[in-house]
Amino acid sequence: QTQVEESGGELVQTGESLRLSCTMSGLSVANVAMAWFRQSKGKEREAVSCISGNGRITDYQDSLKGRVTISRDKAKNTLYLQMNNLQPEDTAMYICAPRTQGTTFLCSGSWSQYTQYGRGTQLTVSS
């Protein structure tokens, strides 16, 4: 059974940087596309970033391009999300998930394609 666990979220100040981590067991990050989503109170869940199964293709939410970098460590079976120049609007629960539906080695921004995920990690950016 696949298990996913996110970590790294905390309270930070505007302008600071932070790296979120996502450790997975039961499935290799090298075999499937991996994505980060986020959900803020009162807002719909949105896709943040994704990396393809072969690691060659990365995709980012347009509003986050230039501030966010997704990466993975196959040896540690861990996914990362480096976030720079954090803003209060980045405050959200960040959720990591492997793509389990459709063409699983390609990225998708649709939450319906991801059926296994962790509890998330809370990032709060204070102004």
Side-chain angles (χ1 to χ4, degrees):
Q1 184 176 354
T2 301
Q3 292 186 323
V4 181
E5 183 174 4
E6 303 91 340
S7 62
E10 61 181 80
L11 173 63
V12 298
Q13 299 296 313
T14 297
E16 293 186 343
S17 298
L18 193 70
R19 188 177 76 165
L20 305 180
S21 300
C22 170
T23 302
M24 193 163 68
S25 61
L27 184 63
S28 172
V29 297
N31 291 341
V32 295
M34 296 290 300
W36 285 99
F37 288 81
R38 69 183 182 183
Q39 186 161 21
S40 307
K41 288 184 179 179
K43 296 184 179 180
E44 293 187 358
R45 186 183 298 113
E46 59 180 359
V48 174
S49 183
C50 181
I51 185 168
S52 63
N54 62 10
R56 295 177 183 175
I57 301 172
T58 56
D59 195 18
Y60 299 95
Q61 185 188 108
D62 285 344
S63 65
L64 296 173
K65 287 180 179 178
R67 292 200 299 121
V68 172
T69 303
I70 191 171
S71 63
R72 66 184 188 180
D73 185 328
K74 290 186 286 184
K76 295 182 179 179
N77 212 34
T78 299
L79 180 74
Y80 301 102
L81 186 69
Q82 176 69 40
M83 302 184 73
N84 301 322
N85 190 24
L86 285 163
Q87 302 297 312
E89 53 265 33
D90 294 319
T91 295
M93 181 70 76
Y94 286 75
I95 304 162
C96 160
R99 184 176 182 181
T100 55
Q101 305 295 308
T103 308
T104 56
F105 57 89
L106 294 178
C107 285
S108 170
S110 173
W111 180 248
S112 66
Q113 299 293 302
Y114 302 85
T115 59
Q116 295 175 325
Y117 43 88
R119 296 181 177 181
T121 186
Q122 177 68 38
L123 168 62
T124 302
V125 184
S126 173
S127 58

